[in-house]
């Protein structure tokens, strides 16, 4: 999953980015409101973590403009502004959640998981297709009850596929959601990581879940 962090405090931005990257998220950082709007309208983010006290264009204005542009991305305000009026203003501007600094990183992760749940799994942090199970809280993947050891990138790729079951995802879509702007990989990086996942998820099983759609991309789906 790809996240945009909008934060002008370099220390806080670095802390959040490091923590989220270690959790397997692809993370970009914008330092001001103008950068935030530019980033948000040029890449398909799953979540925006937005400070309100940012230069050039303030966070509330950024939030309103994003909603006016009909972007469906989830927005989590993360700010030192802690009054009830500030919270109401932020939520009314279109934010989905509001977290006050200083914050516990574990709570930030929990709120991210809650915001990124799909409607069909709104009460669960478990994604399942056939006998393949992904526990979002524990960052644990299993197939037929056997633990699958995954790197952070493999986990992020598997999560993206499982959040979009039976949907054909192009290589460009996968690249945009799993890797951030700072990644400089070869043109076949998606194919390479799909190969890694296949070896870990499908190789030992008769039922293959990851499928290639020739000339288009990939899908993860249980055959009917």
């Amino acid at each position: 999953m790809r996240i945009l962090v909008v934060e002008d405090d370099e220390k806080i931005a670095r802390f959040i980015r490091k923590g989220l990257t270690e959790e397997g998220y692809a993370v970009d950082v914008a330092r001001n409101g103008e950068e935030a709007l530019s980033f948000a309208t040029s890449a398909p983010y799953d979540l925006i973590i937005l400070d309100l006290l940012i230069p050039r264009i303030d966070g509330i204005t950024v939030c309103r403009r994003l909603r006016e542009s009909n972007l469906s991305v989830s927005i989590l305000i993360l700010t030192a502004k802690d009054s009830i009026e500030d919270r109401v203003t932020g939520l009314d501007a279109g934010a989905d959640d509001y977290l006050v600094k200083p914050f516990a990183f574990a709570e930030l992760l929990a709120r991210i998981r809650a915001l990124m749940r799909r409607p069909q799994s709104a009460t669960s942090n478990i994604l399942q297709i056939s006998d393949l199970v992904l526990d979002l809280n524990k960052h644990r993947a299993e197939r037929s009850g056997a633990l699958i050891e995954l790197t952070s990138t493999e986990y992020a790729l598997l999560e993206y596929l499982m959040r979009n079951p039976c949907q054909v995802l192009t290589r460009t879509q996968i690249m945009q959601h799993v890797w951030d702007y700072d990644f400089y990989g070869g043109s076949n990086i998606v194919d390479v990581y799909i190969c890694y996942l296949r070896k870990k998820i499908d190789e030992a099983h008769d039922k293959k879940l990851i499928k290639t759609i020739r000339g288009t991309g990939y899908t993860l789906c249980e055959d009917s």
Side-chain angles (χ1 to χ4, degrees), residues 113-133:
R113 289 193 296 268
L115 287 172
M116 296 176 76
R117 290 176 194 146
R118 294 283 173 169
Q120 62 265 30
S121 60
T123 60
S124 176
N125 277 310
I126 302 295
L127 300 178
Q128 181 166 2
I129 297 176
S130 185
D131 57 346
L132 176 63
V133 178

Side-chain angles (χ1 to χ4, degrees), residues 14-15 19-20 26 36 38 78 82 106 117-118 139 155 158 171 182 190 192 202 207 223:
R14 186 167 57 248
F15 167 73
L20 293 181
S38 177
L78 180 61
D82 61 354
R117 290 176 194 146
R118 294 283 173 169
H139 270 231
Y155 179 92
L158 179 60
R171 290 172 178 81
D182 290 339
V190 172
V192 169
D202 282 342
K207 181 185 291 185
D223 287 329

Side-chain angles (χ1 to χ4, degrees), residues 165-184:
C166 299
Q167 295 185 39
V168 178
L169 302 171
T170 67
R171 290 172 178 81
T172 298
Q173 286 176 307
I174 294 171
M175 175 69 78
Q176 289 177 331
H177 280 270
V178 178
W179 284 272
D180 59 38
Y181 276 123
D182 290 339
F183 178 79
Y184 297 97

